[in-house]
Amino acid sequence: MITLSSDFRSPYPAAMKGVIASQSDARLVDISHEFPRQNVDAAAFWLSEILPYFPSAVHLVVVDPGVGTDRDEIVVRAGDHALVGPDNGVLLPAVRELAAEWSVFRLAEYGTDEQSWPPSRDSSTFHGRDIFAPMAAHVHEVGVDSLESVDALEPTDDYEPLELPEPTLREDRATGKILAVDGFGNAITNIPGHVLDGRYDKHVEINDSVARVRRTYDDADPGRRIVTVGSHGNVELAVNRGRGDQSFSVNTGSSVTIKY
Amino acid sequence: MITLSSDFRSPYPAAMKGVIASQSDARLVDISHEFPRQNVDAAAFWLSEILPYFPSAVHLVVVDPGVGTDRDEIVVRAGDHALVGPDNGVLLPAVRELAAEWSVFRLAEYGTDEQSWPPSRDSSTFHGRDIFAPMAAHVHEVGVDSLESVDALEPTDDYEPLELPEPTLREDRATGKILAVDGFGNAITNIPGHVLDGRYDKHVEINDSVARVRRTYDDADPGRRIVTVGSHGNVELAVNRGRGDQSFSVNTGSSVTIKY
Amino acid sequence: MITLSSDFRSPYPAAMKGVIASQSDARLVDISHEFPRQNVDAAAFWLSEILPYFPSAVHLVVVDPGVGTDRDEIVVRAGDHALVGPDNGVLLPAVRELAAEWSVFRLAEYGTDEQSWPPSRDSSTFHGRDIFAPMAAHVHEVGVDSLESVDALEPTDDYEPLELPEPTLREDRATGKILAVDGFGNAITNIPGHVLDGRYDKHVEINDSVARVRRTYDDADPGRRIVTVGSHGNVELAVNRGRGDQSFSVNTGSSVTIKY
């Protein structure tokens, strides 16, 4: 199985699928191609939430604001998963969820006798199609346990780390950031849900406004703002049958302070 | 084959696919994850239109405004299809299209010796991933004929019915509702297409405006409002190369009166 | 493998998939269902860019402003690919990329003894589901080499050509059109990238504005307009981390003049 993630929108992901299908019969599953544009943090968050639910697979990830610059391309082995993408940190939070230890390989300069992979580096703008998709298909065919045997891959310890931003927790408040906004408009913070323990059905201050802590969306009347814990375990700003991001005036990257 | 339907938007459906792929090699086909949010009637309409075109399959449906409340989870056997979703009526119109008779099972409270399914009920907000997806995979693996053998399922006659709203047909007018708006902006009513028989190329009154009855979109000039019969057999309000919903000022749930 | 392309948006493509899955176990891959509505040129451009990356497949294409009129339905054999769609030219640019020679077949009127395909022509508005999807599944099952054996198909030389608009190249300027706008807002012209050779990092005039020629998006500061060569080899109007279509005030079909 090969999963595909990008910020490309339709129809570019189809070209990657064609390239992969030309090299491999692997089952293809889309994670998303609607990730916020060139936002490495948001993609990293979603991948860390979703990839752990998958069985052994190769995960192709192309959220790549540095395409065309000299950033490396990497493959990470994490347990029986392999992740393929740019060396900008986008893979790391998911890697840490998938396995306690991992190995990183970078795509090396390769001689003219390297025929199979990647077929070309000509396109300076669509590495998803021209480099990463053939890499993912090749890794799938070779197998995650045999990455050492691939001529064009060399082990490295020099890769971009990425830590999602950490919240600050004090007795009377928690301060953090919006990691992502989902399709319902729920704004997902980096603040762990346990800060709401003992506060259900009470009011808290969110930045300059007030909202009630609720266990589920449906505990509030339609249109009312709530603070709740999402399926990811983090504090989430939401509106029952409405959009939390708009109501709380936040977006991916916004600062959030919760005062109890 | 397992089909997936929800109002989740990207990227949540991918987590359901990961859960299913961990339990089953079933082929996965998306129906839609763009159904109007928490709108049971609209999802029920689309499913009743689309699922009958599928061969034998398990259909996972998560449009679930009551997530986190005590509504039941059900599995419905309809011919050689099984439908898995919340007990809020969303499955029923499709069930009636798929088979003349059906059986309903509810997910029972289950002992600690029930290991396999569902793995947890911990998340109060993402039952699609944590309850319904494992249910659908399990039903697929067990087979639709063997639902009685599943410990956690118990037959029930106590489930939420759902009848899509019925139109009122009189000699000089038909009164109904907009069931759904498609991606072209065509507004699909619950009024059967036969009311337009004998009226093609004539004008009718739609609420407070006038439009011509046409057999196909292309019979009208671009930008002109038309009344036609859609592929579902119902009256549809449309604009050739434009959006009918905007031009007729209607949306899902709006009332519609056609005067001849 | 059967690929699917349309301008339908969700959920209509699912009905086509159900129809195909009822007739064939072919793997299904979506190219896009978000093509600009009823815009034959834009769909033709994208298909000519993307389909060549696919291995042997049947390509179902439904961008069909003439649905319900008497335009023909055709199947084109191009190498080991087959393309199925309306006879409005949308298939031709991709066909020319896929093979040097091709054969065209039209769906003939067929007797009552033709049982298998297509099952009905009843729907006047959803030929994608009722005619093209069964055609594509049938072509897949019969095999692209055996189209001559299908009773309902007859060879024809009378079909709609489609040439994408050609640019005019002079010494001091190039004049062309916007063929498509991608999901990033990059506006893709029909002007070949070689006109920018020797002009990198210099300014050019685009219609009434000025922008710098860049090799990659990231060579410019965020928010700055650039002129570059896209992965398709054509000149593209873009904004680093912004939308080129809005900044240059162009859309699909707009005229573009580049003065050096």
Side-chain angles (χ1 to χ4, degrees), chain B residues 46 178 180-188 217 226 236-239 241-251, chain C residues 7-10 12 37:
Chain B
W46 284 119
I178 302 297
V181 175
D182 70 18
F184 289 99
N186 300 321
I188 302 166
Y217 304 128
I226 61 169
E236 200 170 284
L237 311 181
V239 169
R241 309 201 183 193
R243 291 193 66 93
D245 57 340
Q246 289 170 8
S247 183
F248 285 94
S249 300
V250 293
N251 212 326
Chain C
D7 60 358
F8 288 166
R9 277 78 184 155
S10 178
Y12 290 122
R37 301 232 166 102

Side-chain angles (χ1 to χ4, degrees), chain C residues 88-160:
Chain C
N88 62 15
V90 71
L91 307 177
L92 268 291
V95 162
R96 286 190 288 261
E97 295 294 322
L98 287 168
E101 298 186 359
W102 56 86
S103 312
V104 181
F105 301 81
R106 57 181 287 279
L107 180 62
E109 296 293 321
Y110 49 89
T112 52
D113 55 340
E114 170 74 29
Q115 304 255 334
S116 61
W117 172 61
S120 93
R121 304 186 68 141
D122 285 349
S123 156
S124 57
T125 53
F126 197 177
H127 288 188
R129 179 190 68 197
D130 298 336
I131 297 180
F132 293 116
M135 277 175 74
H138 193 67
V139 165
H140 184 273
E141 295 309 293
V142 167
V144 67
D145 289 335
S146 304
L147 297 180
E148 284 82 356
S149 73
V150 179
D151 283 346
L153 287 182
E154 58 185 32
T156 180
D157 288 325
D158 180 20
Y159 57 89
E160 287 293 321

Side-chain angles (χ1 to χ4, degrees), chain B residues 35-242:
Chain B
F35 284 138
R37 301 233 165 101
Q38 302 180 318
N39 185 322
V40 170
D41 278 10
F45 166 73
W46 284 119
L47 294 169
S48 72
E49 283 298 313
I50 291 172
L51 298 190
Y53 288 96
F54 275 82
S56 167
V58 174
H59 305 289
L60 167 61
V61 178
V62 195
V63 176
D64 190 12
V67 63
T69 66
D70 60 358
R71 63 102 189 80
D72 279 335
E73 297 96 15
I74 59 173
V75 180
V76 183
R77 176 168 57 212
D80 51 2
H81 295 259
L83 297 92
V84 174
D87 181 24
N88 62 15
V90 71
L91 307 176
L92 269 290
V95 162
R96 285 190 288 264
E97 295 294 322
L98 288 168
E101 299 185 358
W102 56 86
S103 312
V104 181
F105 300 80
R106 57 182 286 279
L107 181 62
E109 296 294 322
Y110 50 88
T112 53
D113 55 339
E114 171 73 29
Q115 305 255 333
S116 61
W117 173 59
S120 95
R121 304 185 70 141
D122 284 349
S123 155
S124 57
T125 53
F126 198 177
H127 288 189
R129 179 191 69 196
D130 298 335
I131 298 179
F132 292 116
M135 278 175 74
H138 193 66
V139 165
H140 184 272
E141 295 309 292
V142 167
V144 67
D145 289 334
S146 305
L147 297 181
E148 283 81 358
S149 73
V150 179
D151 284 345
L153 287 182
E154 59 185 32
T156 181
D157 287 328
D158 180 21
Y159 57 90
E160 287 293 319
L162 183 75
E163 302 286 349
L164 291 172
E166 286 289 327
T168 307
L169 309 182
R170 297 202 197 141
E171 202 169 331
D172 68 332
R173 69 183 65 191
T175 305
K177 280 192 177 302
I178 302 297
L179 292 178
V181 175
D182 70 18
F184 289 99
N186 300 321
I188 302 166
T189 74
N190 62 342
I191 300 170
H194 68 71
V195 306
L196 301 181
D197 289 352
R199 301 188 204 281
Y200 283 90
D201 299 321
K202 295 180 182 161
H203 285 90
V204 293
E205 239 183 280
I206 305 290
N207 293 347
D208 292 331
S209 63
V210 168
R212 202 176 279 231
V213 180
R214 295 292 194 177
R215 212 163 279 282
T216 76
Y217 304 128
D218 223 42
D219 285 349
D221 292 333
R224 297 303 286 265
R225 291 197 284 213
I226 61 169
V227 179
T228 189
V229 179
S231 57
H232 31 74
N234 290 3
V235 173
E236 200 170 284
L237 311 181
V239 169
N240 186 23
R241 309 201 183 193

